[in-house]
Amino acid sequence: MSDANEAALDPQASAASAGNETALVHCTNLGKSYRKGKESVPVLSNLNLNIPKGDFLALMGPSGSGKTTLLNLLGGLDSPTDGSLEIAGERIDRFSRSQLTRWRARHVGFIFQFYNLMPVLSAERNVELPLLLTKLSSKQRKKQVAIALELVGLKDRAKHKPSELSGGQEQRVAIARAIVSDPDLLLCDEPTGDLDRTTADDILSLLQTLNQQQGKTIVMVTHDPLAAEYAQRTLHLDKGTLITGN
Amino acid sequence: MKYFYFIWKNLGRKKLRTWLTIMSIVVAFILFGALGSLSAAFTQGAEIAGADRLVTIHKVSLIQSLPYSYVNRVRNTEGVEAVTFASWFGGYYQDPKNQFAQFAVDAESYFDIYSDLLSLPEEQMESWQNNRIGAVIGTALAQRFGWEVGDRVPVTSMFPQEDGNRTWEFEIEGIFSAEASGADSGSMVFHYEYFDEARQWDKGTVGWLMIKVADPQNAGEVADRIDAMFANSPAETKTSTEKAFMESFMKQFGDIGTITGLILGAVFFTMLLVTANTMAQAVRERIPEMAILKTLGFTDRSVLVMILAEAVLMALIGGLIGLGLAWLMIGAAASQVGAFLPGFAMPTDVWVQGLIAIVVLGLLSGAIPALQGMRLNIVTALGRR
Ligand SMILES: Nc1ncnc2c1ncn2[C@@H]1O[C@H](COP(=O)(O)OP(=O)(O)O)[C@@H](O)[C@H]1O
Ligand SMILES: [Mg+2]
């Protein structure tokens, strides 16, 4: 399955890289197009990108430039139509839908603009959801949920429903849910797009801490140049291609 | 099972809507339990009827009685192994509301003929035979009035005694039990001699005859032979197998089985629409949530199973409450209608069919939303917001 050499040998593979074969993510000539009737509409094309382990990458670009599409590919929510995508040594572009599902559970955590928590579940039950897919016992799950909530500073809100939390708190719960199963990669799609400046700064600092202290690799899509400053580096996407050199 | 909490919480999302749906399922399954039991009570007599037993009644109707002399003439008919007889007593205990069935019978032969359905302990049989005003009662009847062996009970009959008194005294000498489910253990039987000697009118007659044939294969011929014997007499007879007799008796009430089947079919179909609509709404509201579940790594199949489980859970809650209420109601009604419908109770069959109906209702009502949930594409569902 895994084919680490291919990406490493590809001359284009490290075009936008900040690392080498130790990189967590290798995108090579990555492309995605959607079918509109008979026509194929390209959204991403010839995209080369390496993301080393421990990176905190901000992705910026105008609306409709393909940021979400790229994030969906990196997270295995969708499959590319061209090129190869290798993450942690696995060619996920060759995965079937059900392989991707199992892979997501182990390797990625998602954070969305609108938090997307389950409204019927308390904070701790929301955070527990990904752990239901593991073999952990109920007791072990509880323990991990407590650690994750502690990390995002919401230990005292464990029993609260999403409707009883502020936007910033909801996003912290979402972050706890994303990190609770200790994934390789955190993918954030405009995580502060719905928050005021101060709360946004709190969330961004939290992501930064997770990156710096827990060594989490983060890819964050954002519109906001101030948000991008929290990242280690920023890449710009325009009309489906990366503009290198900032 | 670790998903149960989540499924349970989802069910409680719109509490009013869920409760309204559950309430209608409750009503539907009360109907199911009640009508199913009623239908079973009407048909079970025919089901336990012996193939080797014939019943002889007056050709005009069951209410007309037959001369006592017929008993011996039938007993001597070719192909007949044993004969017993009974007369309707039409009484109640203390209050006309306390109706139950009593029969004046021939003590010797009655339990022989029904040995496959009723059993009475040997020594009780003996003491009954030795007590002219003795009676034996079924277990259900004993329980209903709290009667015990040795009790003296008054029963008021539509038949007056010679002195005009319509209340007859009996001494309980034994309690018989039903050997087959649906056999009548709610009745009382006592000596025909006591009844016939003391009653004011209709003396020397019996209500009907029960006949055991030597060979069930010849039952039809034996029946014809008996009826031919009494043709052109003042009291012509009609002899049929016990099963045919029960069925024609029940036909008086219409074809209960078909009617209840049709009603229940309509109720079930309505319930399916109501429940399916609730499930469709419930799932439509949470398309983004299902997309998130899949994002987190829940498989298409587990989303399908969770939605189906939710629908089945809702049907189970409503259905079990409904069947439970039906069971309570039938328990209460049984003491009222016991005289007319012996063995009126909610049979295991109705419970089993009810449970099957509940699960089928849940699965069918959840099927379409569950398939939608399973097929849901994450990218389009998340992009929709
Ligand atoms: N499922 C889809 N089918 C067709 N076109 C799509 C689909 N998803 C996204 N697109 C198109 O791809 C382009 C990029 O979308 P997106 O990645 O969401 O942009 P961004 O997140 O940068 O705003 C847009 O023009 C959008 O219309
Ligand atoms: Mg976007």
Side-chain angles (χ1 to χ4, degrees), chain B residues 31 76 103 114 130 146 166 250 310-311 366 380:
Chain B
L31 266 179
N76 295 325
F103 305 109
Y114 286 110
N130 294 328
R166 295 202 299 121
M250 293 314 170
E310 187 178 327
T380 39

Side-chain angles (χ1 to χ4, degrees), chain B residues 44 47-48 114-119 177-185:
Chain B
Q44 70 188 352
E47 270 156 26
I48 58 164
Y114 286 110
S115 57
D116 57 332
L117 298 183
L118 307 174
S119 81
S177 52
E179 293 289 284
S181 85
D184 177 14
S185 68

Side-chain angles (χ1 to χ4, degrees), chain A residues 35-172:
Chain A
R35 294 222 147 264
K36 271 233 167 74
K38 276 186 193 144
E39 272 173 73
S40 149
V41 185
V43 176
L44 297 174
S45 45
N46 270 323
L47 203 138
N48 291 293
L49 170 65
N50 282 352
I51 303 171
K53 225 169 161 36
D55 199 359
F56 186 174
L57 171 65
L59 264 182
M60 295 190 70
S63 185
S65 57
K67 305 182 296 294
T68 297
T69 304
L70 176 56
L71 218 53
N72 287 346
L73 294 182
L74 295 178
L77 292 177
D78 211 349
S79 292
T81 38
D82 294 293
S84 73
L85 173 55
E86 184 186 315
I87 298 181
E90 292 184 285
R91 283 288 300 270
I92 69 162
D93 57 313
R94 293 172 175 172
F95 278 11
S96 69
R97 214 169 117 115
S98 61
Q99 280 176 309
L100 280 176
T101 304
R102 259 173 285 138
W103 178 83
R104 282 198 303 274
R106 283 178 288 121
H107 296 282
V108 242
F110 293 87
I111 296 154
F112 301 91
Q113 179 176 0
F114 295 107
Y115 334 124
N116 282 327
L117 301 174
M118 301 295 150
V120 293
L121 298 181
S122 66
E124 59 180 3
R125 292 284 187 170
N126 263 290
V127 176
E128 190 190 14
L129 273 180
L131 297 180
L132 295 182
L133 299 164
T134 66
K135 291 197 167 70
L136 294 181
S137 72
S138 159
K139 209 168 144 193
Q140 290 170 310
R141 294 200 300 267
K142 289 243 155 59
K143 201 171 134 202
Q144 269 190 224
V145 168
I147 293 172
L149 281 173
E150 171 102 63
L151 266 175
V152 300
L154 267 188
K155 212 172 67 173
D156 56 334
R157 293 287 190 279
K159 307 279 181 202
H160 290 237
K161 288 263 180 69
S163 58
E164 299 157 357
L165 298 172
S166 70
Q169 288 171 331
E170 278 196 77
Q171 195 60 299
R172 284 169 190 271

Side-chain angles (χ1 to χ4, degrees), chain B residues 281-357:
Chain B
Q281 279 183 29
V283 168
R284 203 176 313 123
E285 286 162 6
R286 66 176 109 112
I287 282 175
E289 289 169 44
M290 292 189 302
I292 294 296
L293 283 181
K294 291 189 178 187
T295 303
L296 295 178
F298 284 78
T299 60
D300 293 347
R301 171 126 45 103
S302 62
V303 170
L304 173 101
V305 170
M306 274 196 264
I307 298 171
L308 283 180
E310 187 178 327
V312 170
L313 185 62
M314 181 162 69
L316 263 178
I317 295 171
L320 288 181
I321 295 176
L323 288 179
L325 289 176
W327 178 74
L328 289 176
M329 283 159 52
I330 285 161
S335 58
Q336 305 294 317
V337 300
F340 314 106
L341 277 180
F344 184 49
M346 201 151 125
T348 317
D349 269 7
V350 171
W351 279 107
V352 172
Q353 287 162 7
L355 279 174
I356 292 171

